[in-house]
Amino acid sequence: MGDGKQTRNEEFQSFVVGRWPRLMRTAFLLTGEQHAAEDLVQSTLEQVYVAWRRVGGADDPEAYVRRVMINAHACRHRRRLREFLAPKDDSGLVREVADTGDRIAQADDRSALLKALAQLPARQREAVVLRYWEDLTETQAAEAMGCSVGTVKSNAAKGIAKLRAIPGLADMVTHGGRK
């Protein structure tokens, strides 16, 4: 029995190490703040670890983890925690390191994009992040958000329309994501 637990722990550790950068990027885009993103990923992984026997055996453990993260973020948002993408004094913060191929890292003005994302309502931000930066299908995003495909389409379209309306971001949105 001890070997089974050790194997599960090793599987979980391998999963976390392999997915950490992507989980952090998603959490950062959802919360807009490095420390909040770290807290979100940590609390998500705590919940997942408890159920790892079931999660690790699932067809798509990453989809399960993503759903837990979206739910945890939505719960925090419902409690009306304020989120900041650009703290007034961010000189001491460690910056997120984008992995290669990250569309946000390719944007000319990343801080403008992050500020624009901060202006979106939570559900629109979730839909935009999952569809355009995580590159999920509408069905996968709907599963992660716990809503219908139509809701994902609507929220993503509204979010992208708001981003396009911001001067200087139209080119980034049009060329950086799907049309």
Side-chain angles (χ1 to χ4, degrees):
M1 183 161 156
D3 291 336
K5 184 174 182 177
Q6 182 177 353
T7 301
R8 279 193 311 275
N9 286 343
E10 289 170 0
E11 289 172 359
F12 179 76
Q13 182 177 2
S14 176
F15 176 86
V16 171
V17 168
R19 306 301 193 297
W20 183 261
R22 188 173 185 150
L23 292 171
M24 279 300 299
R25 181 185 64 217
T26 301
F28 182 78
L29 291 169
L30 291 173
T31 64
E33 201 268 324
Q34 184 71 27
H35 298 295
E38 291 168 357
D39 289 345
L40 179 58
V41 171
Q42 184 173 355
S43 65
T44 297
L45 292 175
E46 286 172 359
Q47 291 178 14
V48 169
Y49 178 76
V50 172
W52 186 249
R53 180 181 300 170
R54 182 174 25 121
V55 175
D59 291 338
D60 190 359
E62 192 169 349
Y64 183 95
V65 173
R66 197 172 24 250
R67 175 68 188 263
V68 171
M69 183 183 297
I70 294 294
N71 288 344
H73 178 259
C75 182
R76 289 178 183 191
H77 181 72
R78 278 192 296 268
R79 286 185 290 200
R80 301 193 186 277
L81 292 177
R82 291 189 65 181
E83 299 172 347
F84 296 102
L85 283 176
K88 287 185 171 83
D89 179 21
D90 62 353
S91 58
L93 293 179
V94 176
R95 295 290 176 201
E96 170 205 18
V97 177
D99 50 321
T100 58
D102 183 352
R103 290 183 183 136
I104 292 177
Q106 297 169 359
D108 289 337
D109 189 354
R110 182 181 176 147
S111 104
L113 183 57
L114 293 175
K115 287 177 184 177
L117 277 174
Q119 296 172 16
L120 296 179
R123 293 298 274 183
Q124 289 178 15
R125 185 181 330 153
E126 290 169 1
V128 168
V129 167
L130 292 174
R131 288 285 291 133
Y132 296 94
W133 281 279
E134 289 302 315
D135 202 27
L136 299 182
T137 66
E138 290 165 343
T139 302
Q140 291 170 323
E143 290 172 6
M145 292 173 64
C147 62
S148 69
V149 170
T151 300
V152 170
K153 288 180 181 181
S154 174
N155 279 306
K158 289 176 185 175
I160 290 296
K162 286 181 182 178
L163 293 176
R164 284 185 175 141
I166 297 172
L169 285 185
D171 289 336
M172 283 191 278
V173 173
T174 302
H175 301 298
R178 292 181 193 88
K179 288 187 179 180

